[in-house]
Each structure stands twice: as C-alpha cells, then as structure tokens.
C-alpha cells in the first residue's frame, strides 16, 4: 500500500494531503468509503446536531476514514483529541438521543502521543501554518507588512502575547461557522482580569471578510503596542497602564479565506463579504434601540444591561 491523494469531498479541508487504503476501518478503496454509512454520517452530523461541534466532528471522522499517510505509513489521530471532543460534544448527542459513533471509539481507532499520533483539529487553532521567523538583527519595532492568513494571524497574536506576557494575553470569543476560533489579544496591567472602574476599549476588524485593511492594521497595532511598551514609550505605557484594550483582528475569518483564495483584483466586492452562513455581519446586530425605548416606560427597568429580546432569535 502507498500514500495517495485524498479524494473525499467531505475531507478536502483536512490539514494533510495524502491517505492510504485500506483505512482504519479496513475499507479498501475510496468508492467503498463514499458508499459507507460512516461517511454518510459525518456528512450529515452538522445538520443532525444543529451545528454543534462543527467542523470538529467531521474532521475527526475524516482522520479515521482517510487517515494521514506519510512515507507510505498511516499515522493515527491522537487519542486525547478524541477524548476531549467526546466530552464536549456528548451533550449534543444526548439532546437527540444519539449514541457516540462507534468508528470514533477513542481507544480503538486513536493512538497516544508516544506512538507518534497527529492532531486532526490543529488547523482549527491556527497551528498548521507557521509564520517564518524574522532575522534577529531587525529592530524590535520592525513590522512585516504582508497579508496574514488565518494561521499566520493566530501565530502572530500568540507570539506577541508571549513576548509581552506581563501585559498581554489571547482568548477566543467563540467559533466561526467553519470552526475557526475568533481570536482576541488583550493588553492591560492585569491581562485576563476585569478591574472595576477601569475603562475598557475594543477594536474589531474584518467584519466583511474581503475588507482586509482593518484586520492587518489591528495585527500591526498589537505588535506596536507590545514593542513600544517594552521600549518605554510613555504614551503607550500610559494607555496600557490605564486602559484594558481588546483587539479582534478578524470577525469573519471564513469570508477572508474565501476572498483570499480568489485573489486581489479577481473576487469583486461580494466574494467573502459575508460569512459561510451567507450572513452580512454588519447588518446582523440585535435591534436594542426599540427595546431600550420600550423599557424606558417601565418603572425601575434597567437600561444599562439589556438582554437580547427573544423575538430577535425567531427564525434565525
């Protein structure tokens, strides 16, 4: 048996390019896999679970149906990745009275790290594509002006937070529809902690996936704040010492990736503008203005913390 290109339509976005037959289920060809109940299940899990654990479960299933192959040798997916995902996703299966799929048995089809396994979900955390390190003789404030892919963006934010760990940290506000973490970098004297009466500020970029200047500016701003703070810039030190700053460079990483695939000058003004759910984020905010007016007429009603009205979610 030899490594062959992955040709399964539900597994084209895995973090590797080659697999081997028979697979971990002893299915001996691509045709057999495509007609199997296991392959059909991973293609419909998203709808069955109403979007929960997407695309994590599909990528985990692909790592069993089309396992990674290197130098004509199959590499099993990591057992701890399967166990963590099973723990997080079991409530979604329980909600529809469905058992955890047998072919995702963490003990049977997955391996320990000591056996040389691979993480099938690494791509979702931006850990596959590594940004090149810059020459060591460059000044600390040097910024490389280039477009950052999702993975490069995550890598840059993590490196920046690591460089300034005493004033910076990264966190995720959730996942995009295609499963990419929406990464934020925070700057403050107590990163990760809310301080009463300390003003907080946020910048958000790339709401439209094909409008990329804001995304790059926020990546550069994060690097600039870190470098200038370390160099003793009094203005930057005053900002960070007295304000909690949050930078979310890309609110629509799915749209950005789609626009980037087309290339500048070829994608028009609509490709990548919306999310993978075909939503324009700039026109998808709750209408809290009318709710505020309604509450203003109620004695004792609070206007400083307004919950999103249930009616907003109807049909969405």
């Amino acid at each position: 048996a030899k490594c062959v290109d992955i040709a399964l339509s539900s597994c084209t976005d895995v973090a590797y390019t080659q697999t081997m037959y028979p697979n971990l289920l002893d299915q001996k060809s691509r045709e057999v896999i495509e007609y199997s109940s296991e392959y059909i299940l991973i293609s419909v899990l998203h709808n069955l679970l109403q979007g929960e654990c997407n695309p994590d479960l599909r990528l985990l299933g692909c790592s069993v149906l089309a396992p990674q192959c290197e130098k004509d040798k199959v590499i099993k997916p990591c057992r701890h990745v399967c166990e963590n995902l099973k723990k997080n996703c079991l409530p979604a299966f329980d909600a529809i009275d469905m058992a955890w799929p047998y072919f995702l048995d963490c003990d049977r089809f997955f391996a320990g790290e000591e056996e040389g396994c691979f993480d099938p979900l690494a791509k979702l955390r931006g850990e596959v594509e590594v940004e090149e390190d810059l020459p060591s003789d460059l000044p600390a404030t040097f910024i490389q002006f280039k477009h950052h892919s999702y993975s490069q963006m995550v890598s840059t934010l993590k490196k920046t937070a690591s460089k300034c760990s005493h004033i910076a940290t990264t966190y995720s506000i959730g996942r995009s529809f295609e499963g990419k973490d929406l990464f934020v970098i925070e700057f403050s004297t107590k990163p990760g902690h809310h301080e009463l009466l300390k003003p907080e500020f946020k910048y958000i970029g790339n709401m439209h996936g094909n409008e990329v200047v804001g995304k790059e500016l926020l990546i550069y701003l994060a690097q600039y704040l870190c470098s200038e703070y370390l160099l003793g810039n009094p203005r930057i030190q005053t900002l960070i010492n007295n304000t909690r700053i949050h930078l979310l460079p890309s609110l629509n990483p799915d749209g950005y990736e789609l626009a980037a695939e087309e290339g500048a000058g070829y994608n028009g003004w609509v490709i990548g503008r919306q999310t993978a759910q075909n939503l324009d984020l700039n026109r998808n905010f709750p209408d809290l203005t009318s709710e505020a007016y309604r509450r203003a007429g109620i004695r004792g009603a609070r206007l400083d913390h307004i919950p999103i009205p249930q009616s907003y979610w109807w049909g969405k």
Side-chain angles (χ1 to χ4, degrees), residues 52-268:
E52 291 290 323
C53 298
N54 171 68
D56 310 55
L57 279 170
R58 179 173 55 79
L59 293 176
L60 193 73
C62 286
S63 70
V64 174
L65 296 175
Q68 183 175 356
C69 181
E70 288 185 2
K71 298 179 180 178
D72 297 331
K73 181 180 178 182
V74 164
I75 304 175
K76 285 188 174 183
C78 292
R79 185 176 297 117
H80 74 272
V81 176
C82 176
E83 291 171 342
N84 289 337
L85 189 60
K86 182 177 181 180
K87 179 181 177 181
N88 293 330
C89 297
L90 269 181
F93 281 91
D94 291 340
I96 60 172
D97 294 324
M98 179 178 174
W100 182 256
Y102 88 92
F103 63 94
L104 297 183
D105 185 321
C106 301
D107 293 324
R108 184 177 176 187
F109 300 109
F110 296 78
E113 292 187 70
E114 68 280 358
E115 301 174 64
C117 63
F118 76 97
D119 181 355
L121 307 184
K123 188 176 181 180
L124 298 181
R125 294 187 289 271
E127 298 172 1
V128 174
E129 187 178 349
V130 180
E131 192 170 11
E132 295 181 7
D133 290 328
L134 298 175
S136 58
D137 56 344
L138 290 172
T141 54
F142 178 82
I143 291 176
Q144 189 177 17
F145 288 93
K146 53 176 274 187
H147 285 293
H148 292 76
S149 69
Y150 172 76
S151 298
Q152 291 169 341
M153 177 192 73
V154 172
S155 175
T156 299
L157 295 181
K158 287 183 176 180
K159 284 182 180 179
T160 302
S162 176
K163 182 179 178 182
C164 290
S165 57
H166 59 303
I167 58 164
T169 187
T170 58
Y171 63 91
S172 170
I173 66 168
R175 292 276 187 88
S176 71
F177 184 71
E178 293 184 344
K180 299 179 182 69
D181 275 308
L182 303 176
F183 268 99
V184 179
I185 186 168
E186 173 203 331
F187 291 91
S188 73
T189 51
K190 293 183 178 180
H193 298 279
H194 172 71
E195 298 178 71
L196 286 175
L197 304 182
K198 189 172 188 177
E200 303 203 27
F201 177 88
K202 67 178 178 181
Y203 258 144
I204 295 175
N206 205 204
M207 184 178 294
H208 290 150
N210 61 352
E211 296 172 5
V212 299
V213 175
K215 170 188 170 185
E216 298 303 328
L217 285 175
L218 292 187
I219 294 173
Y220 302 146
L221 178 58
Q223 295 172 284
Y224 178 81
L225 291 175
C226 173
S227 295
E228 291 298 302
Y229 192 96
L230 295 179
L231 292 172
N233 183 320
R235 182 166 182 260
I236 300 304
Q237 289 192 339
T238 299
L239 282 173
I240 294 177
N241 290 342
N242 295 284
T243 316
R244 192 179 182 204
I245 302 170
H246 307 261
L247 307 177
L248 197 171
S250 183
L251 185 61
N252 187 2
D254 297 344
Y256 172 81
E257 299 270 305
L258 181 61
E261 287 177 8
E262 293 291 322
Y266 297 97
N267 57 11

Side-chain angles (χ1 to χ4, degrees), residues 21-40:
Y21 304 115
N23 61 14
L24 299 181
L25 302 181
D26 202 32
Q27 295 167 332
K28 295 180 170 53
S29 69
R30 177 179 63 84
E31 291 77 15
V32 172
I33 294 173
E34 288 180 336
Y35 284 101
S36 69
S37 58
E38 296 85 2
Y39 183 75
I40 294 172

